[in-house]
């Protein structure tokens, strides 16, 4: 995040996610001068990401778009395209299905995640381009940048921050911002 001459803030072009000292499921997220705490996958980070391994991929991933529970949260201004989550929105995580790692509509029988979660994790949920634009079966699905569980519990492979931190950094994000996990 940089200030322009007029004092306004410009979107961040890169967000860096690095391991936090002492615990493989914790990370530090650097957005311009801000450094925030985050949770990552229960298996830490991996360069060889596989479906269901619980690891956060070590990679550079573009932000594509996001989802929000408009009935739960009020979004700050952001240049990132955002869609309101509906009850019928699901995300396919079944590698053998043609819709693998895609948004699908209920009813849907193959394995999937509900986007309209009861626990609030996806009240703000940003889609990272991990295995989305160029899909390969079993390479991992639903790698999101979303809200944290209390106590910074590990994720299933996503990056998660507190609601307050998400509100601070969302105005600095846009489609194409790179999230680099190192």
């Amino acid at each position: 995040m940089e200030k322009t001459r007029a004092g306004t803030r410009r979107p961040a072009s890169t967000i860096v996610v690095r391991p936090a000292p002492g615990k493989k499921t914790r990370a530090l997220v650097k957005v311009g001068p801000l450094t925030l705490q985050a949770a990552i996958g229960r298996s830490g980070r991996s360069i060889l990401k596989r479906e269901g391994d619980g690891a956060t991929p070590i990679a550079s991933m573009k932000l594509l778009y996001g989802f929000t529970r408009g009935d739960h949260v009020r979004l700050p201004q952001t240049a990132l395209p955002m869609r309101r989550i509906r009850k019928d929105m699901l995300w396919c995580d079944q590698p053998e299905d043609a819709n693998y790692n895609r948004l699908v509509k209920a009813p849907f029988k193959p394995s999937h995640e509900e986007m309209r979660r009861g626990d609030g994790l996806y009240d703000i949920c940003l889609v990272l381009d991990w295995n989305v634009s160029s899909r390969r079966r079993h390479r991992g699905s639903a790698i999101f940048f979303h809200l944290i569980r209390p106590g910074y519990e590990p994720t299933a492979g996503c990056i998660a921050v507190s609601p307050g931190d998400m509100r601070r950094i969302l105005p600095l994000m846009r489609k194409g911002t790179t999230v680099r996990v190192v």
Side-chain angles (χ1 to χ4, degrees):
M1 172 176 75
E2 297 177 41
K3 284 190 177 181
T4 63
R5 286 185 181 208
T8 59
R9 300 196 185 262
R10 285 194 303 213
S13 59
T14 302
I15 295 168
V16 179
V17 181
R18 66 181 65 256
K23 199 163 187 184
K24 72 179 183 178
T25 62
R26 298 289 291 273
L28 299 173
V29 175
K30 181 120 172 91
V31 184
L34 300 173
T35 300
L36 315 167
Q37 291 187 46
I40 56 174
R42 67 181 179 273
S43 301
R45 302 165 303 124
S46 177
I47 200 156
L48 299 171
K49 173 72 184 148
R50 302 291 293 161
E51 184 67 41
D53 66 3
T56 300
I58 296 173
S60 289
M61 301 167 276
K62 301 282 186 193
L63 279 171
L64 298 175
Y65 53 90
F67 297 100
T68 184
R69 283 284 303 265
D71 58 328
H72 284 191
V73 296
R74 209 174 133 173
L75 285 181
Q77 284 290 103
T78 182
L80 189 62
M82 300 292 290
R83 294 175 64 183
R84 191 172 181 141
I85 296 174
R86 296 184 323 263
K87 289 179 184 178
D88 65 350
M89 288 180 160
L90 310 170
W91 195 274
C92 177
D93 59 10
Q94 180 66 46
E96 293 76 26
D97 192 83
N99 294 299
Y100 178 57
N101 204 23
R102 296 278 190 261
L103 185 68
V104 292
K105 190 174 180 180
F108 185 75
K109 287 200 181 233
S111 180
H112 61 271
E113 284 195 48
E114 290 187 26
M115 297 302 294
R116 193 174 178 112
R117 295 175 64 123
D119 61 10
L121 295 185
Y122 292 176
D123 283 2
I124 301 174
C125 178
L126 312 178
V127 179
L128 297 169
D129 192 6
W130 175 259
N131 204 29
V132 174
S133 296
S134 177
R135 268 183 318 160
R136 290 182 38 209
R137 299 199 189 290
H138 300 282
R139 285 297 309 253
S141 63
I143 302 298
F144 300 140
F145 195 132
H146 62 74
L147 302 180
I148 194 77
R149 279 190 166 86
Y152 288 84
E153 287 182 26
T155 70
C158 300
I159 302 160
V161 297
S162 73
D165 285 343
M166 182 66 85
R167 282 190 290 278
R168 288 172 67 196
I169 63 175
L170 199 54
L172 307 173
M173 297 176 168
R174 59 177 165 67
K175 183 176 182 173
T177 296
T178 299
V179 177
R180 188 164 47 104
V181 179
V182 296

